Amino acid sequence: MAADTDKPGAEVLGPDRLELGEGIRWTDRGIVLVDILQGRLLTTAESAGAPLRELVRLPVPLGAVAPVAGAPGHWIAAAGTGVCLIASDGSTRWLDRPEADAVPPLRMNDGTADPSGRFWAGSMAYDGDEGRGSLHRVDHDGTVTRVLDGITVPNGPAFTADGRTMYLADSARGVIRRYPVDPVTAALGTPETFVTVDDGSPDGMVVDAQGAVWVAVWGTGTVRRHLPDGRLDRVLRLPARQPAGVCLRDDLLHITTARVGLAEPGPYDGAVFTVRVDVPGRPADSYRHRDHLPSPRESS
């Protein structure tokens, strides 16, 4: 039976209350996260209880980033209608804008790098219109390819440490699917349903060292750990209604939440929480480009 914990020892990280806090990652450059609709890339402060520090602010929604290997201070980002590289000075170079011509408009949402160094990112309609979202893959040469269609609100993906399994949530439909991944070609195999959520929407995810999947469940105030066979193992309850993103820094689970859409946000809606857990995680993977990346100079 799953451990259902009303007060799991969650601590509020600082005074910030984000509109739509997601895309939290433990990287070799510290903990980073985004406030999507504000276009802000943030990092946690060195001192406990201090506000988050803003690294970059884009004039478009910023869904998620991954560090670029061998390029300190540089990020690859799911942003606006596509994927760009962000330099340490905040300048951008767009690799592609696959959703630029979409009507009604689409935006990029969650994304992550896989253990092979590719970057994967989802897109969605602003109004969550049924089946209009997609999953895109960025290969080592910077090519952006649409690999899945017909998703409503894609979140994740999250990968196992060997890169052979990808978890992808379609949040609006309440389902997490598990895909086999060819680690050489990145081709996706036939998916299977991993978890179906009936009481909320599965959002951000992370895979721990035992292969279990932690899932932020929007609308429920909970974060849930599912074993590799899909069984529910643990439920953490938070004083915030809309958990949106999770990451593991060793044995500390970091959780972002959101205030967007709430008529009367509570005092902890939009906060970032930390909870100590039993099984650690590993740092987020970096995007690896085949060639040297010059500093981006094009302004977004």
Side-chain angles (χ1 to χ4, degrees):
M1 179 179 293
D4 194 345
T5 309
D6 290 319
K7 295 182 179 179
E11 297 183 1
V12 179
L13 192 63
D16 302 86
R17 300 295 182 266
L18 304 178
E19 181 183 14
L20 185 50
E22 291 206 31
I24 189 164
R25 305 285 183 264
W26 174 33
T27 76
D28 57 358
R29 299 156 203 181
I31 296 282
V32 296
L33 61 150
V34 301
D35 199 350
I36 293 182
L37 300 178
Q38 300 300 316
R40 302 170 70 208
L41 176 61
L42 305 160
T43 186
T44 54
E46 294 294 330
S47 56
L52 298 169
R53 182 167 59 90
E54 184 174 293
L55 298 176
V56 172
R57 183 187 291 258
L58 299 184
V60 294
L62 176 58
V65 304
V68 177
H74 289 61
W75 309 89
I76 186 170
T81 57
V83 179
C84 67
L85 299 171
I86 304 175
S88 55
D89 63 2
S91 60
T92 59
R93 179 157 66 88
W94 291 90
L95 298 179
D96 198 0
R97 292 182 173 98
E99 308 295 10
D101 298 325
V103 180
L106 303 177
R107 68 166 175 85
M108 302 303 290
N109 199 43
D110 205 358
T112 194
D114 68 16
S116 296
R118 299 177 179 91
F119 185 67
W120 304 70
S123 61
M124 60 171 286
Y126 277 89
D127 60 1
D129 198 18
E130 177 76 16
R132 294 195 60 226
S134 298
L135 181 68
H136 306 266
R137 186 189 71 234
V138 186
D139 291 319
H140 300 301
D141 62 358
T143 301
V144 181
T145 302
R146 192 185 307 266
V147 294
L148 291 174
D149 273 321
I151 310 165
T152 299
V153 179
N155 271 296
F159 290 85
T160 54
D162 61 7
R164 294 180 178 274
T165 301
M166 179 185 80
Y167 295 93
L168 182 69
D170 192 340
S171 300
R173 293 169 173 159
V175 63
I176 302 171
R177 297 184 179 93
R178 176 165 51 198
Y179 293 79
V181 184
D182 185 310
V184 177
T185 67
L188 299 179
T190 302
E192 62 180 356
T193 298
F194 174 61
V195 168
T196 300
V197 177
D198 297 323
D199 60 340
S201 300
D203 207 316
M205 300 178 287
V206 68
V207 181
D208 68 22
Q210 293 182 347
V213 183
W214 286 95
V215 184
V217 185
W218 182 278
T220 69
T222 66
V223 177
R224 305 173 188 180
R225 183 178 190 257
H226 289 269
L227 301 177
D229 62 5
R231 284 180 297 155
L232 182 62
D233 172 68
R234 188 175 181 189
V235 178
L236 303 179
R237 297 196 176 276
L238 302 172
R241 283 168 278 181
Q242 298 179 152
V246 288
C247 81
L248 280 164
R249 180 174 188 171
D250 294 324
D251 63 347
L252 278 179
L253 182 71
H254 288 68
I255 306 159
T256 59
T257 66
R259 295 165 64 87
V260 66
L262 296 175
E264 297 182 2
Y268 297 110
D269 288 312
V272 181
F273 296 88
T274 62
V275 181
R276 193 166 298 279
V277 295
D278 299 328
V279 181
R282 62 186 187 89
D285 294 298
S286 297
Y287 172 65
R288 297 200 295 272
H289 199 274
R290 182 176 298 158
D291 304 310
H292 172 70
L293 288 176
S295 296
R297 294 299 177 191
E298 176 191 347
S299 177
S300 59

